[in-house]
Amino acid sequence: MKFKSFYIISFLSFGCASAQLNDSIFIPTNQIYYQQLNRIWDNPIQFSKQKFSDFTETELSAVVKDLSMRRTQTAESSNEFGFKTQGVFNISKKLRLLGSFDYQFVTEKNLGYNLTNGRTEDQFVLNPNYLFVPKKANWETQNYHVKGGLSYNLWKGLEVGATVDYRNQSSYRKSDPRPEINTADYSGKIFAGYRYLNHQVSIFGGLGRKSDTYDVMAVNEAVNAPANPEYYVRFSNGYGRIVYFPSYGDYGYRTVDRNFGAGYTFENQKNFFNINFSYSKAMQNLYGNTGELYGTSSTSGTGSVYFAESLEKMKYRLVNYKTDANYWYKGDKIDFMSNVNFQSITGDNYNNAEFGQNYRMTLDRVSTANHFLLREGKKIKFGTTLEGIYNDFSAIDLLGITYKYVKSLNLNLKFNKDIFYRDTQKVNLEIGAMSYFPLSESLTYVPASSNTLLYDNVIKNDHEYDATSKLGPQFGLQFYQKVTSKTDLKIFTNFATLFPLSKDLEKNTDYSGNPSLYFNAGISLFY
């Protein structure tokens, strides 16, 4: 906690000490500019000549989700309360600092078939090695996320930069069995580049280490028996395959992520273009407890967890090739931003006891985001966003035998406008809709045993969800008020819904037919 306090004090001190740039962009002017803020973190030295005004934003927010339509290993509903502070600080013409601190407290209701801190709300499947019970239960989670970054003009055209990232998460299930999961995730990157006239080339490399420790408790240990199928702890290895895992009481994951890449930038007074190529390989190892080594391991989980090679049980490797290109036109009255991103991800597992693999996942993803902003001074006359994501996903269990394949397209269209404006106040209205269309899909399952629990309750239902076209209207309202000459207040609220475009999901699963609902609201202070 002392570290967090020191970070916040330093963060605010930088905001007070830094100097305002002339003719620079104030990111909170419109939600579209936050896209550029996010990309600064990807390679801060590429944006070192871009004129962003100093700002510190402190935000309190709440998010409510009622997910009537969802994949199985996601909670039916959740509430999130958050605090966030972030900013950009131009210390001098040579040095820029970035900072962010984020905290969330999350409560989830009725989450089944999942004893991990992973969710399938934003991904097709969970990682292949995990514990689960069918019984639904509520969860509580606390997240802390601290980021820092800098770019510095070292000498003439030579620039260097760095980012550091720390995440800490504690998750607790409130019903037997009760996993308590503690996560510590550290990562960092360094950047170096050379700028000549309007061009810059850069290289970068990073390293991350993540540790997840699980302590699974039960008030009534007798529930963990085949006679109690709703509570009986099972282990998924692959996609639909259930295997014996004796040390469920205490175990852990350690993930090491190595990455490197290169980038190019061109910029002049009104045009900015950058592109980055990167490669990363993450290796996640699963470790059992020491009780197995000394003959004391049992369903009570006797033993301790160490990240030692002798306790290693399984591995999961993720390889990611990524290309990200960004163009930004900055006119006197018009801003246009376009981004294209391509990722090719491969995941495969390895079972140490069986000396072999049984799971492979591939995901090829192409996404684009295009933003247009028409301004009149500080007033936003019209803004629009068009986003598209194409996914080509497959997951196969060679021993299961399960094969899932989905090609899909997501489209998101939004418009925003200042419907009321004066020098000290404005109201911005945003409306839009998102959509999801499966282009082709298939699911094949040939049971390798009589235990088809995961297929019947997770895999089949999730595939029905992925094979269903969906539409979701969105609405947002943001009110800005100037409090002092250097302080602005924002109050915001957003509402969205998602519903299927056919009755197939309702016919083939236990889906109630009600749409999923999303609501968030909050207040931000800029200074």
Side-chain angles (χ1 to χ4, degrees), residues 452-488:
T452 61
L453 181 68
L454 272 174
Y455 176 79
D456 294 336
N457 297 278
V458 177
I459 297 172
K460 183 173 66 175
N461 290 344
D462 284 2
H463 193 76
E464 291 287 348
Y465 175 90
D466 295 330
T468 300
S469 297
K470 309 173 189 68
L471 181 66
Q474 304 172 15
F475 170 84
L477 204 62
Q478 304 191 58
F479 169 75
Y480 297 82
Q481 172 70 55
K482 180 165 287 295
V483 180
T484 68
S485 60
K486 295 183 178 181
T487 306
D488 297 273

Side-chain angles (χ1 to χ4, degrees), residues 399-431:
L399 304 177
I401 300 174
T402 309
Y403 178 64
K404 174 187 176 72
Y405 177 71
V406 179
K407 283 184 178 180
S408 63
L409 179 66
N410 292 73
L411 293 175
N412 189 10
L413 178 63
K414 293 185 288 188
F415 303 94
N416 84 83
K417 176 181 175 62
D418 289 347
I419 58 174
F420 172 80
Y421 181 86
R422 60 185 183 188
D423 290 342
T424 58
Q425 288 179 331
K426 77 171 184 175
V427 178
N428 183 270
L429 172 67
E430 183 175 71
I431 58 173

